[in-house]
Amino acid sequence: MAMTFRQLVGRRGERAAAKYLKDKGYRIIATNFRCPFGEVDIIAQKDDVVAFVEVKTRSGTSFGMPNEAVGADRRARYIACAKYYFSGRQTDFTVRFDIIEVLKGEINHIECAFTA
């Protein structure tokens, strides 16, 4: 099935965000991680921090800033996905929830955008 324009824009933003994270010294653990609770765009690690990253791509701000689209439901799903991802694993990491906005080709990385 062909991707919609919106899906193509989203995937392009996710690729740009992954490149940005790699350039900042992160190791990409997973992209589009799926579990019973939803999907995480990027899971990345830098030092002792594992970041669950929601990527929001927009071509403009007529519907608000990209990070404003990450509501309580989305945050709760990310937290549930992180718990699922780490279930049964020994963890010596700090877990963080970030948002990366891709707006008109510019990247804004919001670290600790929300907490569990």
Side-chain angles (χ1 to χ4, degrees):
M1 181 161 76
M3 288 183 123
T4 66
F5 177 75
R6 199 170 113 191
Q7 289 170 320
L8 289 171
V9 169
R11 291 289 185 226
R12 189 176 303 131
E14 289 172 10
R15 284 193 304 274
K19 181 184 181 320
Y20 166 86
L21 289 169
K22 286 180 192 172
D23 290 347
K24 295 294 181 184
Y26 287 82
R27 179 175 64 89
I28 305 301
I29 297 171
T31 57
N32 305 114
F33 170 76
R34 294 174 195 257
C35 74
F37 304 103
E39 181 179 314
V40 175
D41 293 330
I42 300 171
I43 303 172
Q45 181 178 354
K46 183 175 183 181
D47 302 321
D48 65 341
V49 174
V50 175
F52 287 74
V53 183
E54 169 75 356
V55 180
K56 285 295 180 191
T57 306
R58 298 286 186 272
S59 57
T61 58
S62 57
F63 295 105
M65 292 300 292
N67 74 77
E68 293 171 358
V70 184
D73 288 345
R74 174 74 64 177
R75 292 190 300 268
R77 283 197 299 273
Y78 259 62
I79 292 165
C81 286
K83 289 177 181 177
Y84 180 87
Y85 181 81
F86 285 114
S87 65
R89 297 182 193 202
Q90 185 71 14
T91 58
D92 292 331
F93 303 108
T94 298
V95 176
R96 195 175 72 202
F97 299 96
D98 296 356
I99 297 173
I100 291 183
E101 299 176 313
V102 181
L103 180 61
K104 298 180 182 177
E106 296 294 318
I107 291 180
N108 180 33
H109 184 188
I110 304 167
E111 295 181 357
C112 299
F114 56 94
T115 59

